[in-house]
Amino acid sequence: EVQLVESGGGLVQPGGSLRLSCAASGFTFSRYTMNWVRQAPGKGLEWISYISGNSVTIYYADSVKGRFTISRDNAKNSLYLQMSSLRADDTAVYYCASDPRQRPFEDHWGQGTLVTVSA
Amino acid sequence: DIQMTQSPSSLSASVGDRVTITCRASQGIRSDLGWYQQRPGKAPKCLMYAASSLQRGVPSRFSGSGSGTEFTLTISSLQPEDFATYYCLQHNSYPITFGQGTRLEIK
């Protein structure tokens, strides 16, 4: 069974840093491109970052570019999101998710981890 | 960036009704579109990919159509478990963008 399990969320002060992790199991992680998607409380979904299977290709949304860094460790079947210079508007549930471009198509999401940026 | 305009933003309907949700892309995206359902407190779940392909395990009352800039998701006969929020997503180019969401409520 495919599983994605996020961890690392919590309360952080504005300007602080946090590292999210996403542990993958049940599939050959290194073959999958992956994304981070977030959802602010009561708001819609926002894609924030993409990484290819070999980490060669990486994209960021403008809202996080220069502050967030996506990475992966295929040996550990793990995806990461290093977040720095956090702001109140980064408060959201953060999901790791398989890539909608993946073929054959597979739909996998973690349960989400809540990041709250507040003094 | 490609903008996805989803309508309506909310919809009240009854069990058994047929409902249609529309997404319009600001430029052509071929069929690079998915539809997602999200229940409160849960992760999104893909219903349709490639605009009109039903994700496995999703009931056949869900269908999708369109290509280019106009897309629709249709639920042929609403069931109680279908009351949720629906999003379209384009992956033709990065940044991936979502529609604003359609909240489907019980009338």
Side-chain angles (χ1 to χ4, degrees), chain B:
Chain B
D1 298 1
I2 297 174
Q3 309 303 317
M4 302 301 296
T5 303
Q6 187 173 337
S7 61
S9 55
S10 64
L11 179 58
S12 292
S14 302
V15 173
D17 283 355
R18 179 185 181 92
V19 300
T20 298
I21 300 169
T22 298
C23 254
R24 186 170 287 118
S26 60
Q27 63 190 71
I29 59 169
R30 303 181 305 185
S31 296
D32 298 333
L33 182 118
W35 288 99
Y36 290 75
Q37 177 192 67
Q38 188 179 33
R39 296 192 176 100
K42 299 296 186 182
K45 166 191 166 183
C46 182
L47 305 172
M48 313 291 306
Y49 65 96
S52 59
S53 295
L54 190 69
Q55 170 65 348
R56 63 177 178 269
V58 174
S60 59
R61 62 181 179 273
F62 292 91
S63 63
S65 65
S67 67
T69 60
E70 293 272 342
F71 302 87
T72 59
L73 173 72
T74 298
I75 310 172
S76 60
S77 178
L78 276 173
Q79 298 303 301
E81 60 269 28
D82 299 338
F83 292 94
T85 300
Y86 294 83
Y87 296 92
C88 62
L89 168 160
Q90 72 78 22
H91 55 82
N92 178 262
S93 64
Y94 284 86
I96 286 174
T97 45
F98 289 89
Q100 305 94 316
T102 295
R103 185 174 179 181
L104 180 51
E105 300 174 320
I106 300 174
K107 185 184 288 185

Side-chain angles (χ1 to χ4, degrees), chain A residues 39 50 95 99 101 105 107 110, chain B residues 38 43 46 55 91-92 94:
Chain A
Q39 186 170 38
Y50 160 97
Y95 297 101
D99 190 54
R101 291 180 157 189
F105 178 81
D107 180 48
Chain B
Q38 188 179 33
C46 182
Q55 170 65 348
H91 55 82
N92 178 262
Y94 284 86

Side-chain angles (χ1 to χ4, degrees), chain A residues 18-119:
Chain A
L18 210 56
R19 189 196 199 202
L20 306 183
S21 299
C22 171
S25 60
F27 65 106
T28 307
F29 179 68
S30 60
R31 295 181 182 175
Y32 281 69
T33 54
M34 297 293 295
N35 293 275
W36 286 98
V37 174
R38 70 182 180 183
Q39 186 170 38
K43 302 297 184 183
L45 299 165
E46 179 190 16
W47 170 85
I48 57 171
S49 190
Y50 160 97
I51 188 167
S52 62
N54 58 8
S55 303
V56 168
T57 303
I58 286 174
Y59 300 117
Y60 296 101
D62 286 346
S63 58
V64 306
K65 198 175 295 181
R67 301 187 300 121
F68 290 11
T69 302
I70 191 172
S71 63
R72 63 192 297 161
D73 185 337
N74 288 338
K76 294 183 178 179
N77 290 334
S78 292
L79 176 71
Y80 305 103
L81 187 68
Q82 178 68 47
M83 305 185 294
S84 60
S85 302
L86 283 162
R87 312 184 301 224
D89 62 358
D90 294 317
T91 294
V93 174
Y94 286 73
Y95 297 101
C96 60
S98 57
D99 190 54
R101 291 180 157 189
Q102 192 88 29
R103 291 296 180 269
F105 178 81
E106 294 191 30
D107 180 48
H108 305 300
W109 293 70
Q111 83 288 354
T113 187
L114 176 63
V115 173
T116 303
V117 184
S118 175

